[in-house]
């Protein structure tokens, strides 16, 4: 008898001793009574001892059977403990959670939610990478990746978190010192702080109802980081073209003023991507669910 078959026979023997009944043991295991008898007979033949004394009225455990049962019972206890561990593993988030996100969006939006998640699930160890480089999550062994793109992700490739709207912002001091802005065509007279990226341009496109405008502006600062542009606007350098979520706090504090807030500028979509299959660990599913639920509430 190989070890795997012997383990099965040991489990059946332990169940018979626990119930002191072939019938009850067979019912508990989910096999026939005759199968139980055959397994026990085969086990005794392999061991070369009698484990049970069987009569028409009752079952008695032999002396060697009592000792052997202790080993079998210990084995079953370990199996049950292993099952309990796996049940808990699948129920409770635990382990390392590797997350990657763009720098500004990560700091401003993702990090506060990630901190709340980490405080709630103390058995999850978070590894966060903030970068604006393009990363292949699978190659980098990343669990959850946050992306920002011009279009929504295709079904099965990610879940949309939010729509990122852009806008124009300037400090009160800058606006006091420069010509008033009442029409988009006047933007060409002003100094601009623009994002540096793949869409390297000095044209600001905007739309309101049926009117669409493209204004070529004078750029005095470019950066690949929106916070740098925000700080430039706060220092009265010029009009900053920013994601609205980056400027929100400054607008609320009235240190920046939105220009043409009722116009629509370009949009981006922030979305979360992760491997969606049956083997995704609870820590990943819990974090994705935590993100999506919190974004739905905003």
């Amino acid at each position: 008898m190989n070890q795997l078959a012997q383990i099965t026979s040991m489990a059946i023997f332990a169940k018979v001793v626990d119930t002191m009944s072939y019938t009850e043991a067979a019912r508990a295991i989910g096999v026939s009574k005759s199968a139980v008898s055959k397994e026990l007979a085969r086990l005794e033949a392999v061991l070369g001892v009698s484990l049970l004394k069987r009569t028409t009225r009752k079952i008695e455990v032999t002396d060697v059977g009592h000792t052997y049962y202790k080993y079998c019972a210990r084995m079953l206890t370990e199996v049950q403990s292993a099952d309990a561990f796996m049940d808990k593993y699948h129920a409770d988030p635990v382990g390392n959670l590797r997350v990657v996100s763009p720098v500004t969006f990560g700091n401003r939006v993702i990090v506060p939610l990630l901190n709340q998640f980490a405080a709630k699930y103390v058995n999850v160890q978070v590894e966060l990478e903030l970068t604006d480089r393009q990363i292949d999550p699978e190659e980098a062994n990343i669990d959850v990746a946050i992306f920002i793109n011009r279009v929504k992700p295709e079904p099965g490739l990610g879940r949309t978190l939010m729509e990122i709207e852009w806008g124009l912002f300037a400090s009160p001091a800058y606006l006091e010192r420069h010509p008033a802005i009442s029409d988009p065509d006047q933007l060409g007279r002003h100094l601009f702080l623009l994002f540096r990226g793949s869409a390297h341009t000095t044209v600001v496109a905007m739309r309101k109802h049926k009117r669409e405008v493209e204004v070529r502006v004078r750029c005095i600062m470019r950066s690949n980081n929106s916070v740098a542009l925000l700080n430039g606007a706060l220092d009265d350098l010029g009009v900053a073209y920013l994601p609205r979520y980056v400027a929100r706090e400054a607008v609320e504090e009235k240190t920046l003023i939105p220009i043409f807030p009722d116009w629509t500028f370009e949009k981006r979509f922030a979305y979360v991507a992760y491997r969606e299959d049956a083997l995704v660990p609870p820590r990943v599913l819990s974090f994705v669910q935590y993100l999506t639920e919190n974004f739905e509430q905003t």
Side-chain angles (χ1 to χ4, degrees):
M1 181 184 294
N2 62 44
Q3 286 187 331
L4 185 59
Q6 185 172 341
I7 289 172
T8 301
S9 297
M10 291 171 68
I12 291 175
F13 168 66
K15 186 59 66 175
V16 170
V17 175
D18 287 339
T19 61
M20 295 304 288
S21 166
Y22 279 51
T23 302
E24 291 300 323
R27 184 180 295 114
I29 297 170
V31 298
S32 66
K33 182 179 177 181
S34 61
V36 170
S37 297
K38 289 178 182 179
E39 284 293 333
L40 289 177
R42 186 164 54 175
L43 179 61
E44 289 177 324
V46 170
L47 298 177
V49 298
S50 294
L51 300 173
L52 299 170
K53 293 179 182 179
R54 295 169 286 274
T55 68
T56 55
R57 292 187 177 182
K58 63 179 180 179
I59 297 173
E60 292 183 3
V61 185
T62 64
D63 290 342
V64 67
H66 276 295
T67 302
Y68 191 68
Y69 167 76
K70 293 178 182 178
Y71 293 102
C72 298
R74 192 181 308 156
M75 177 194 70
L76 287 181
T77 299
E78 290 299 320
V79 170
Q80 291 167 356
S81 297
D83 287 342
F85 164 75
M86 293 308 301
D87 288 342
K88 184 173 179 60
Y89 174 84
H90 287 295
D92 298 331
V94 64
N96 291 334
L97 177 68
R98 294 170 292 275
V99 181
V100 65
S101 173
V103 177
T104 301
F105 189 77
N107 273 316
R108 290 294 179 106
V109 181
I110 299 299
V111 167
L113 294 176
L114 190 57
N115 291 343
Q116 295 170 19
F117 178 83
K120 181 176 181 180
Y121 298 104
V122 296
N123 291 322
V124 175
Q125 295 79 48
V126 177
E127 297 179 16
L128 172 65
E129 180 175 356
L130 296 176
T131 178
D132 291 324
R133 294 184 294 107
Q134 291 294 323
I135 288 184
D136 184 326
E138 189 170 341
E139 287 186 4
N141 196 26
I142 297 296
D143 293 313
V144 178
I146 310 298
F147 294 109
I148 295 177
N149 208 338
R150 289 182 177 273
V151 296
K152 290 184 178 181
E154 296 181 7
L157 297 181
R159 296 189 191 181
T160 301
L161 297 176
M162 67 178 289
E163 187 176 276
I164 299 175
E165 295 184 350
W166 288 60
L168 298 175
F169 305 89
S171 68
Y174 173 86
L175 293 174
E176 287 176 4
R177 296 199 307 263
H178 292 81
I181 307 174
S182 58
D183 187 271
D185 292 336
Q186 297 170 334
L187 292 174
R189 308 173 187 173
H190 289 264
L191 308 177
F192 272 75
L193 299 85
L194 300 176
F195 191 80
R196 188 192 75 213
S198 56
H200 193 97
T201 180
T202 56
V203 174
V204 174
M206 49 197 297
R207 183 178 71 256
K208 182 179 181 182
H209 305 308
K210 294 183 178 181
R211 184 183 178 188
E212 296 185 4
V213 178
E214 289 188 352
V215 182
R216 185 167 297 279
V217 297
R218 178 188 171 193
C219 178
I220 63 166
M221 177 183 288
R222 281 191 182 276
S223 175
N224 65 343
N225 186 279
S226 296
V227 175
L229 302 179
L230 171 71
N231 290 332
L234 291 172
D235 287 338
D236 312 324
L237 290 182
V239 178
Y241 189 41
L242 298 170
R244 294 190 187 277
Y245 77 86
V246 173
R248 183 180 298 119
E249 183 176 342
V251 170
E252 292 173 352
E253 295 175 351
K254 302 187 185 308
T255 53
L256 284 185
I257 297 174
I259 301 172
F260 302 121
D262 53 345
W263 284 68
T264 299
F265 297 83
E266 66 179 304
K267 295 181 180 181
R268 296 286 191 275
F269 296 94
Y271 65 94
V272 56
Y274 65 104
R275 188 187 69 187
E276 295 189 62
D277 58 39
L279 299 179
V280 179
R283 63 180 180 274
V284 174
L285 294 177
S286 295
F287 181 57
V288 171
Q289 182 177 357
Y290 192 84
L291 281 182
T292 54
E293 287 178 352
N294 277 275
F295 273 97
E296 287 172 357
Q297 295 171 7
T298 58

